[in-house]
Each structure stands twice: as structure tokens, then as C-alpha cells.
Amino acid sequence: MAIEFTKYHGLGNDFILIDNRSSLTPVITPEKAVKLCDRHFGIGADGVIFALPGQNGTDYTMRIFNSDGSEPEMCGNGIRCLAVFLTELEGVSRTKDFYTIHTLAGTITPQLTDDGQVKVDMGQPRLLAQEIPTTLAPTDSKVINVPLEVADHTWNVTCVSMGNPHCITFVNDVAAIPLESIGPKFEHHSVFPQRTNTEFIEIVNRNYLKMRVWERGAGITLACGTGACASLVAGVLNDKCDRTAIIELPGGELEIEWSEVDNKIYMTGPAERVFAGKF
Ligand SMILES: N[C@@H](CCC[C@H](N)C(=O)O)C(=O)O
């Protein structure tokens, strides 16, 4: 039976979206997702996202398989794409401009803005070593500016969970980082039992940061929404940036705010439909 899909991207972080609203079980396996994500022999994408029925009173559930077939807890660019995909699926029956989405990282709420972007309530960052998870510090301690040996170099890292793990390090020149060779060494480092996403951040000023990312399960991508949120938190914890900043990624810019009022992270950025098809 043919399965319909729609391709979306958020700042070049691209996804195959599948309407899975009739069942809580994804209609394809992780192995099939790996094949579909292949950029030479498949559709090509950083991941496959499923729009499933809501759980625990939410409107919908999001599940995602990375391009290596692993299942992350959350995806920031992906949930913006999912929000726009849901408006496409609902069509004229749509009654509101926000959705509550059940994810493995808790309930996340994307809202469509008047200028065509999506603002997402990403929830609160988790900072304890056991929440990342990492063995870089005692389980109930924060991991802020801690030395980590990778590729014969000591990197001072800060770890933040946005539901999924992030290891952030500040560098002078983000363009000079050999991502392809060192990214996998961070991802598979023994101090990260569930592997990690890794963000390299250059501070331009307190409200403008440049970021490059090596994603767990996907490698180099043009943007990472949860990574941008985690990086802003790391910047604040290290007193390198304010609580609101633009994060410049290879695929474009995200606006990130860490609210002092509710301790939540708000991410605003685009989500664009590319094409639709069947396989
Ligand atoms: N690109 C995503 C993150 C996708 C999940 C990540 N690769 C992981 O395994 O945690 C984003 O925009 O947040």
C-alpha cells in the first residue's frame, strides 16, 4: 500500500512528515526510515516525523526517527514543521492557531504567528547531570564549564537537556571547527550513555550567537532547534549572553528566549513545505 508523505524543512533541517493520525504505531519501521532519509537512494532527510493521535489530553503526538533510525525525545525544527503540516491536514476544519503536542520530552506547544512563523513553548531546560544524562558530574549537579577530553584537546563543556541531550562548547571561530571528524567523538563519548548532540558556539555579542551542530543520529545538519535552545541556556549559565538572543545557524536564524517568568524556553522560526509524494 502506498504511503503519502510531505517534505518540510526548518532552516534546512529537513523532514519527511507522515499523517499517522489513525494509529499510535508509526506506519513505517526505523529501518525503513533510514532508507527514506538516504540522500542518494531515498527521498533524503534528517529524519521522519509522524503526526499521531493525542495522548494525555493533548491534540496530537509527535514521534520522530533520526536518519540513523534512532528515536529522539524531541525535535525543535521538526515540531515547527509538524505544526504547519497539521494545519495542512486539518484544512478548513482547523479551529485554533496552536497545538498541544505529546512528545517523549513532555507536552510541547507550537503556535502559528501572524507573520507565518511558528513560536514554540519548548518547556523548561533540565540541567542536572542525571537528566542529560552524563557522568561528567555527580548525578544531582549541573554541568557548567566542565573540562572534557576529545580528540587530544580539552573542551570546556556545558550540558543541557531539552528532553534530548546537548553538550555545548564555546569557541572563538565556529567556522574553523572540524565538525565531521570531532562530532562523532563527542556523540559517542563514554561520558554520554545515551550519546549526545553537540553545539559549537561563537559569541558575536550578548544577543547574537553563531552555532554549528553535530546531531546525535543525524550528523551535521543545517540547524537544530533544541540545540539552539540549549545553547542559549548554556550561554546564560556561563554569563556569555542575555536571556533573549538570535542564534545564527548555517540554514538561517532562530530567535530564542529563556523566560524569567516561567523558566521556559520559547523558540521562534520558520517551517516550510517543500513537496509531497508517495512511496
Ligand atoms: N534537529 C532537531 C533535533 C533532532 C533530534 C536529535 N538528532 C537527537 O537525537 O536528539 C531539532 O531541531 O531539535
Side-chain angles (χ1 to χ4, degrees):
M1 196 186 74
I3 294 176
E4 295 184 357
F5 71 92
T6 307
K7 178 92 186 275
Y8 274 80
H9 78 89
L11 303 180
N13 193 192
D14 56 346
F15 305 100
I16 297 160
L17 277 289
I18 295 180
D19 179 3
N20 211 121
R21 289 175 299 167
S22 56
S23 161
L24 272 171
T25 305
V27 289
I28 65 160
T29 61
E31 293 74 25
K32 179 73 178 173
V34 172
K35 289 187 174 154
L36 294 176
C37 288
D38 189 288
R39 295 197 183 276
H40 301 289
F41 297 99
I43 298 163
D46 293 323
V48 179
I49 291 176
F50 305 89
L52 307 114
Q55 296 177 70
N56 306 335
T58 57
D59 297 324
Y60 295 99
T61 297
M62 176 176 88
R63 285 185 65 184
I64 169 172
F65 295 147
N66 283 320
S67 55
D68 75 348
S70 59
E71 180 168 10
E73 301 81 354
M74 232 308 269
C75 178
N77 290 320
I79 208 157
R80 295 199 316 278
C81 294
L82 177 69
V84 179
F85 181 54
L86 289 170
T87 68
E88 180 182 335
L89 293 180
E90 289 187 353
V92 291
S93 67
R94 180 162 77 95
T95 55
K96 54 186 193 177
D97 63 1
F98 71 93
Y99 297 107
T100 53
I101 310 284
H102 177 81
T103 74
L104 293 176
T107 301
I108 307 291
T109 312
Q111 172 146 27
L112 299 137
T113 63
D114 292 341
D115 62 355
Q117 300 223 91
V118 185
K119 179 172 182 175
V120 187
D121 169 354
M122 297 282 286
Q124 302 187 351
R126 294 152 219 191
L127 304 177
L128 302 183
Q130 64 192 342
E131 297 175 303
I132 306 300
T134 178
T135 56
L136 263 174
T139 50
D140 54 355
S141 299
K142 294 176 185 168
V143 187
I144 301 173
N145 203 27
V146 172
L148 175 65
E149 287 293 320
V150 178
D152 299 326
H153 182 84
T154 304
W155 308 79
N156 286 321
V157 304
T158 297
C159 297
V160 176
S161 170
M162 291 303 304
N164 58 348
H166 294 272
C167 171
I168 298 103
T169 185
F170 297 96
V171 296
N172 291 330
D173 179 7
V174 81
I177 296 297
L179 259 190
E180 188 115 31
S181 59
I182 61 171
K185 296 190 166 85
F186 277 89
E187 177 181 356
H188 297 281
H189 200 290
S190 59
V191 296
F192 299 113
Q194 291 177 20
R195 302 191 279 156
T196 191
N197 298 286
T198 307
E199 287 79 23
F200 298 88
I201 300 292
E202 178 182 331
I203 304 287
V204 177
N205 63 50
R206 290 190 67 86
N207 303 104
Y208 198 93
L209 282 53
K210 282 188 188 175
M211 167 178 150
R212 286 176 70 209
V213 60
W214 177 271
E215 281 195 37
R216 178 181 66 168
I220 296 173
T221 61
L222 294 182
C224 177
T226 50
C229 296
S231 297
L232 178 101
V233 171
V236 171
L237 294 173
N238 286 280
D239 194 23
K240 288 181 183 293
C241 69
D242 293 344
R243 295 180 78 102
T244 301
I246 299 293
I247 314 282
E248 181 196 298
L249 301 121
E253 294 180 348
L254 287 171
E255 185 186 319
I256 312 292
E257 178 196 354
W258 185 9
S259 169
E260 268 177 311
V261 177
D262 57 14
N263 190 37
K264 290 182 175 182
I265 310 288
Y266 294 88
M267 171 191 65
T268 306
E272 291 178 27
R273 186 182 194 278
V274 188
F275 61 88
K278 286 180 191 178
F279 57 85

